[in-house]
């Protein structure tokens, strides 16, 4: 069983796999509900991200990486990193 099966979304696996092979990335995103997104991601404005990560992972996570597929202000992310170090 896959991760999606464990959460009751196993039917999506086949569709997502097929769509990825077809390059239908935008359409794949349309299949992801807010519930699915919030299950697998910490969703927050950057200024609240450190708190969200601390709440979800506590002291379990020692390393993290960020991905922003858009141009963003490096100072904004620097502030997030400072907040993470303070948590």
């Amino acid at each position: 069983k896959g991760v999606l099966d464990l959460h009751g979304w196993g039917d999506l696996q086949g569709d997502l796999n097929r769509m990825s092979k077809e390059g239908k990335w935008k359409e794949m995103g349309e299949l992801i509900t807010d519930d699915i997104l919030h299950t697998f991601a910490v969703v927050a404005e950057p200024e609240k991200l450190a708190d969200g990560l601390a709440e979800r992972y506590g002291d379990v996570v020692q390393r993290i990486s960020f991905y922003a597929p858009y141009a963003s202000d490096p100072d904004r992310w620097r502030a997030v990193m400072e907040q993470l170090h303070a948590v």
Side-chain angles (χ1 to χ4, degrees):
K1 291 213 170 214
V3 174
L4 292 174
D5 288 312
L6 295 173
H7 294 279
W9 302 308
D11 293 344
L12 276 178
Q13 177 60 38
D15 291 336
L16 293 172
N17 184 287
R18 177 184 47 76
M19 292 168 88
S20 71
K21 292 175 183 176
E22 295 171 352
K24 295 183 177 179
W25 302 104
K26 182 176 187 250
E27 294 86 347
M28 287 173 66
E30 293 169 1
L31 296 180
I32 305 303
T33 65
D34 285 349
D35 285 341
I36 295 170
L37 179 63
H38 287 269
T39 297
F40 293 101
V42 173
V43 179
E45 292 294 321
E47 294 77 14
K48 296 182 180 181
L49 188 56
D51 290 337
L53 290 166
E55 180 181 323
R56 183 166 190 158
Y57 298 110
D59 61 357
V60 176
V61 173
Q62 295 178 354
R63 292 183 181 174
I64 192 163
S65 65
F66 292 99
Y67 172 69
Y70 47 83
S72 60
D73 180 1
D75 289 334
R76 192 175 195 192
W77 290 109
R78 194 172 354 272
V80 171
M81 297 309 289
E82 289 171 2
Q83 290 171 5
L84 286 170
H85 285 288
V87 173

